[in-house]
Amino acid sequence: NKSHILSLRYVGDFLGNTIRITSIPKRKFYQYEKWRMENKTKKTIRGTSLELEINVWKQSINYGMEHDYISTTVKLFYPKFDTERKRKDDFTPEEYKKIIRFFNTKKWKEGRGWLIEQRRQFLRLWFLVLCNTGCRTGELKKLKWGNIRKHIYTDKGVRKETVEITVKPETSKVRKERTVLGFGDTWKYITQVKEISNYTKPTDYVFPNPNGKEWTPTWEMFSKIMKGSGVDLENRDLSWYSCRHFYGSMRISEGVEVYLLSGQMGCSVKMIEQHYGHLKVKHRVSELNKWKQRKGSKTFLE
């Protein structure tokens, strides 16, 4: 398991790879969070991640004791981390527009060579597809051309087209297949990806790295886009995952019902209500105010 190997690597670097387990100070791990923040990340790390890393270490220690590799007299104390899951922040519609404008600037479009410019276009389209499908980043990075097709529909007598994405169980966080219909101009964005990509076979990744392999846009890439757009990163917990929350927030504000949205986003109705319920209430208040304005009558509230 890659995450377990990485966790042990972090702990090993923290302790020092040559230290004897019996020589580790009992409360050494109370310094782990501070060390982790200063040495291994450029952003705030969640307590759930720290807890996972320490638990992998504990499991290794227990295994060693059970098989007589480590003395059972070793006693270490561990801190408690804040593991309450907090919802990532999302962008405001105004910030979304600022990001789109930044993507169209000369500063973003023109890089040092064709490859840099191509990767920047991929990043722009990656961002737009995330924001208009609500897909998880892991689902999008594993998406292949064979799982995409055009979807034609009629809206008020006008023929329109969007993208229909099949998220396979093996690529979904919840291990369930679902069909996602892209919002707005998603089909246009997917078409642009195909035009600039060197890998467009049904078995190829939609968003590959330059060698056609799986690609993971990094936090540094995201941070560069936000800073260039003038979006605040200091006081908010924003990441690529915020694109998914932006999608959810916008659909709720437009009146999409939670049952439909939960099916599109691949999560429970309860999760939708927990994360976006307050937005639904705000939307209903807005509708009530519009109704009052149409009536043009004063009430005892005025």
Side-chain angles (χ1 to χ4, degrees):
N1 187 305
K2 290 182 179 179
S3 64
H4 285 190
I5 293 172
L6 185 60
S7 295
L8 289 176
R9 187 180 302 163
Y10 284 146
V11 175
D13 289 347
F14 166 68
L15 295 173
N17 293 318
T18 59
I19 194 171
R20 295 178 64 86
I21 291 177
T22 53
S23 302
I24 300 173
K26 289 183 179 181
R27 290 178 173 76
K28 175 69 174 177
F29 279 92
Y30 281 82
Q31 304 166 22
Y32 185 70
E33 182 173 6
K34 183 174 184 293
W35 175 88
R36 191 77 167 72
M37 295 289 291
E38 293 176 349
N39 293 274
K40 293 295 180 181
T41 183
K42 294 183 179 179
K43 61 173 183 174
T44 301
I45 185 168
R46 290 179 295 181
T48 49
S49 298
L50 296 170
E51 185 82 7
L52 171 65
E53 292 164 10
I54 296 300
N55 282 339
V56 172
W57 159 261
K58 287 180 181 178
Q59 290 168 17
S60 301
I61 290 293
N62 290 337
Y63 179 86
M65 289 181 176
E66 289 173 5
H67 292 79
D68 298 325
Y69 299 133
I70 300 172
S71 170
T72 55
T73 61
V74 172
K75 181 70 174 178
L76 297 172
F77 296 96
Y78 301 95
K80 288 186 177 180
F81 301 107
D82 180 9
T83 56
E84 181 183 348
R85 290 187 66 97
K86 297 181 177 66
R87 177 185 175 279
K88 290 278 187 183
D89 291 325
D90 55 9
F91 318 107
T92 65
E94 292 72 25
E95 287 174 330
Y96 178 79
K97 292 176 184 177
K98 287 170 68 175
I99 295 167
I100 300 304
R101 285 197 294 269
F102 174 65
F103 281 140
N104 291 319
T105 62
K106 184 177 180 181
K107 181 179 179 181
W108 176 258
K109 286 184 175 181
E110 296 185 3
R112 291 170 293 178
W114 175 84
L115 182 60
I116 298 288
E117 292 180 0
Q118 184 205 47
R119 300 321 295 178
R120 287 187 176 184
Q121 286 305 308
F122 264 109
L123 279 170
R124 177 181 72 87
L125 294 165
W126 166 271
F127 174 85
L128 289 169
V129 172
L130 281 177
C131 286
N132 286 277
T133 61
C135 284
R136 298 177 177 90
T137 53
E139 294 169 345
L140 190 58
K141 78 175 184 178
K142 293 181 182 295
L143 181 65
K144 296 184 177 180
W145 287 108
N147 303 132
I148 292 181
R149 63 183 179 185
K150 185 187 291 187
H151 178 83
I152 305 297
Y153 66 102
T154 303
D155 182 19
K156 297 178 181 178
V158 179
R159 183 178 180 274
K160 295 185 178 181
E161 55 190 24
T162 186
V163 64
E164 186 176 306
I165 296 172
T166 301
V167 178
K168 294 293 185 180
E170 58 269 24
T171 65
S172 170
K173 179 181 178 182
V174 294
R175 296 293 181 261
K176 290 184 180 179
E177 183 172 310
R178 74 181 191 279
T179 300
V180 176
L181 292 176
F183 177 80
D185 293 327
T186 308
W187 177 251
K188 182 178 76 173
Y189 304 143
I190 290 293
T191 301
Q192 289 175 4
V193 172
K194 205 162 195 175
E195 289 172 351
I196 65 173
S197 180
N198 299 321
Y199 304 95
T200 57
K201 295 178 182 177
T203 54
D204 287 336
Y205 291 112
V206 177
F207 288 96
N209 69 13
N211 298 318
K213 306 298 182 183
E214 191 176 290
W215 179 51
T216 304
T218 64
W219 158 256
E220 286 74 15
M221 295 173 183
F222 176 83
S223 176
K224 189 171 185 177
I225 293 169
M226 296 303 107
K227 289 177 181 177
S229 307
V231 174
D232 175 31
L233 278 179
E234 294 297 323
N235 303 305
R236 297 168 52 219
D237 189 12
L238 294 171
S239 71
W240 287 117
Y241 209 82
S242 299
C243 298
R244 175 173 163 86
H245 287 314
F246 175 79
Y247 170 88
S249 298
M250 292 304 295
R251 301 296 80 80
I252 284 291
S253 69
E254 292 159 356
V256 175
E257 289 302 320
V258 293
Y259 295 102
L260 175 59
L261 192 58
S262 69
Q264 287 289 287
M265 296 183 72
C267 58
S268 66
V269 170
K270 182 179 179 182
M271 185 72 72
I272 295 289
E273 290 176 337
Q274 284 178 342
H275 285 174
Y276 308 107
H278 65 293
L279 294 171
K280 190 169 184 179
V281 172
K282 287 183 180 180
H283 178 61
R284 294 294 182 257
V285 170
S286 177
E287 286 183 345
L288 286 171
N289 281 322
K290 288 178 183 177
W291 179 84
K292 179 174 70 67
Q293 290 169 9
R294 286 198 301 270
K295 287 292 184 180
S297 60
K298 293 186 177 182
T299 70
F300 67 92
L301 295 174
E302 296 177 295

